[in-house]
Amino acid sequence: MISACSIGIILNDYTMKRSIILVLFLSLITFNLKSYAHCEIPCGIYGDSLRIEQISEHITTLEKSMNQINELSKAGDENYNQLVRWVVNKEEHATKIQDIVSQYFLHQRIKPVDPTDVEAYAKYTNQLALLHHLLVFSMKAKQSTDLEVIEKLRSTLVKFSHSYFHEHEH
């Protein structure tokens, strides 16, 4: 016969094991999270041109991924695993563009301006619009293998880069 004290010990042991397993699980999830953007601490260490270059590399990777997906799709089921890998690669690089645009430029570098300063506000809204286009075209790159999206990403990046570096106070 099991006493009430024994049941309490068993339940406490069971609860303790569940808590430990939950903590371990949450720790694994937390340690696997990656951050691709620059920190949000105003450290003064910015690599604006590096971020533009990174976006450009991600666009090139998207293009290669799309070409590989299109090519492998024509070959049928024999390359199914490679096809899946290229799709995942395409998704990851489109997300990295979105992260840089959002976490780096929108959160940290493009500062709100007073709407009564017409010239500064026009520049600000132009940069916001271009960054928004980069976000939308990155989303569209996830949705298809349409190479026109790549050209739109590239041309928008060039326009944003010109606006940012030629009209931006560093």
Side-chain angles (χ1 to χ4, degrees), residues 3-166:
S3 69
C5 184
S6 297
I7 291 174
I9 292 172
I10 291 170
L11 286 176
N12 282 338
D13 188 45
Y14 174 73
T15 303
M16 179 69 89
K17 286 180 183 175
R18 274 186 39 194
S19 297
I20 290 171
I21 289 171
L22 180 62
V23 168
L24 287 173
F25 176 73
L26 291 174
S27 296
L28 286 173
I29 290 174
T30 303
F31 288 129
N32 283 329
L33 295 177
K34 295 179 182 176
S35 176
Y36 298 104
H38 194 80
C39 66
E40 293 183 5
I41 300 171
C43 62
I45 303 170
Y46 296 107
D48 296 337
S49 59
L50 175 62
R51 296 311 181 274
I52 297 294
E53 190 176 317
Q54 287 175 329
I55 293 172
S56 180
E57 286 179 1
H58 292 309
I59 293 170
T60 300
T61 303
L62 284 172
E63 180 180 37
K64 182 168 184 166
S65 297
M66 288 179 178
N67 285 327
Q68 288 297 310
I69 290 166
N70 289 334
E71 186 178 314
L72 291 168
S73 294
K74 293 175 189 173
D77 291 344
E78 63 194 51
N79 295 313
Y80 185 72
N81 289 335
Q82 271 309 95
L83 179 63
V84 169
R85 292 179 74 203
W86 280 108
V87 170
V88 169
N89 189 59
K90 180 173 69 89
E91 295 283 322
E92 289 173 353
H93 286 275
T95 298
K96 288 177 181 179
I97 292 170
Q98 292 169 329
D99 289 343
I100 294 169
V101 167
S102 179
Q103 292 293 322
Y104 186 78
F105 286 106
L106 288 173
H107 291 185
Q108 299 177 70
R109 301 305 283 154
I110 306 298
K111 306 290 186 209
V113 298
D114 183 358
T116 60
D117 184 346
V118 176
E119 186 178 327
Y121 194 72
K123 178 176 73 171
Y124 170 71
T125 57
N126 179 56
Q127 290 175 346
L128 289 180
L130 291 167
L131 291 171
H132 185 245
H133 281 101
L134 286 172
L135 291 171
V136 170
F137 295 140
S138 295
M139 175 197 64
K140 292 193 178 294
K142 291 180 179 185
Q143 297 171 342
S144 75
T145 56
D146 183 358
L147 293 172
E148 278 187 40
V149 173
I150 298 300
E151 292 311 312
K152 289 177 181 178
L153 277 166
R154 281 195 177 113
S155 67
T156 304
L157 182 62
V158 167
K159 289 174 189 173
F160 173 73
S161 180
H162 183 293
S163 171
Y164 186 77
F165 289 111
H166 297 291

